[in-house]
Amino acid sequence: MLEIVPYKARWPREFDILKSQLQEVFGKKAVRIDHIGSTSVTGLAAKDIIDVMISVKNLDDVEAVVPALLAAGFDFKTQVTADHLPAGAPQKPGDWEKRLFGRKNPVPRVHLHVRRVGAANQRYALLFRDYLRANPLAAAAYADVKHQLAKYHGHTDDHIPYVEIKDPVCDLIMVAAEEWALRTGWEVK
C-alpha cells in the first residue's frame, strides 16, 4: 500500500545515521552522500522512505561494494539501471544511468540511488531538492499531487502507476527549478 505521511522530524537524523554507515561501506568511492527526495525537504509530506544519493566517479566501482550492501540488508534492484528521461533532457551516454538499492529492514526503509558525479541525473536530484527547499508553495503543491496519487493508487503494492504519473509532474517542477537556478546562480556544490 502506498501511504503519504506528514513530514517526520526524525528523517534528517535517520539520514545522518545512514550516511555514516554508507560512508563506511563505500569509503573513498563515495564522492558525496546526499539526502534527496521528499524526506529531505522540511515540512514536505512523503512516503516514509529515506532517499539517499551516493555520487561516485564511476558506476563500475559499485560492484566492489555490493556484498557489503547486501550484508547491510540492502537489495540490489538489478532491473533498474537508469532514471526516467525527462522530455528534452540531454541524452549524453550514461547521463541517466544509475544503480538502485532498497532496504525494508531494519527500519528506516531506504532507497539508495548511486549516480555518477556530473551526470544529468545527479544534478536533477540535487536541484529538485534545493528548489523545493527554497520554494514552500511549490513543495506544498507537490505534496498535494502525491496525496491525490496515493488516494487513487488503491491498496496495492504496484507503485508503477504512481511513478509513471509523478515523474512528469517532477519534470514540470524542474522547468521552474531551472529558471530558479539561473536566477539565483544555483549550482551543484
Side-chain angles (χ1 to χ4, degrees):
M1 181 174 121
L2 182 92
E3 182 181 14
I4 304 298
V5 299
Y7 179 81
K8 306 289 182 197
R10 65 180 161 76
W11 288 337
R13 289 189 310 275
E14 290 175 343
F15 166 74
D16 288 339
I17 293 166
L18 285 163
K19 181 177 180 178
S20 295
Q21 294 168 344
L22 292 166
Q23 187 64 62
E24 285 184 34
V25 170
F26 277 81
K28 292 184 182 194
K29 288 178 179 55
V31 175
R32 62 185 291 160
I33 301 175
D34 292 285
H35 189 185
I36 61 167
S38 297
T39 61
S40 71
V41 180
T42 301
L44 183 56
K47 294 181 288 182
D48 195 6
I49 301 170
I50 305 297
D51 281 289
V52 178
M53 180 172 67
I54 298 186
S55 299
V56 297
K57 289 181 184 174
N58 187 330
L59 285 174
D60 293 336
D61 291 344
V62 176
E63 299 303 319
V65 299
V66 169
L69 285 171
L70 295 176
F74 285 89
D75 296 319
F76 190 7
K77 307 295 184 189
T78 56
Q79 72 278 15
V80 178
T81 59
D83 284 306
H84 152 80
L85 181 65
Q91 296 187 33
K92 293 189 304 191
D95 248 6
W96 299 94
E97 187 179 358
K98 76 174 180 180
R99 304 294 179 267
L100 180 65
F101 298 83
R103 187 182 82 182
K104 291 184 180 179
N105 290 307
V107 174
R109 291 182 59 199
V110 179
H111 287 162
L112 175 60
H113 309 261
V114 184
R115 297 180 173 116
R116 186 179 49 77
V117 171
N121 59 353
Q122 182 218 23
R123 181 182 181 282
Y124 186 107
L126 295 172
L127 176 54
F128 188 84
R129 176 200 67 193
D130 290 355
Y131 175 74
L132 290 180
R133 284 177 173 175
N135 293 278
L137 292 177
Y142 181 51
D144 189 43
V145 167
K146 293 190 315 173
H147 280 295
Q148 294 302 319
L149 284 172
K151 183 169 65 174
Y152 292 106
H153 188 269
H155 301 289
T156 175
D157 286 333
D158 178 13
H159 293 174
I160 292 173
Y162 173 84
V163 171
E164 287 180 346
I165 295 169
K166 185 179 72 90
D167 281 347
V169 169
C170 292
D171 296 344
L172 288 171
I173 292 169
M174 283 299 288
V175 171
E178 290 291 357
E179 291 174 2
W180 173 80
L182 284 172
R183 193 171 62 255
T184 63
W186 180 93
E187 59 185 41
V188 175
K189 295 178 178 114

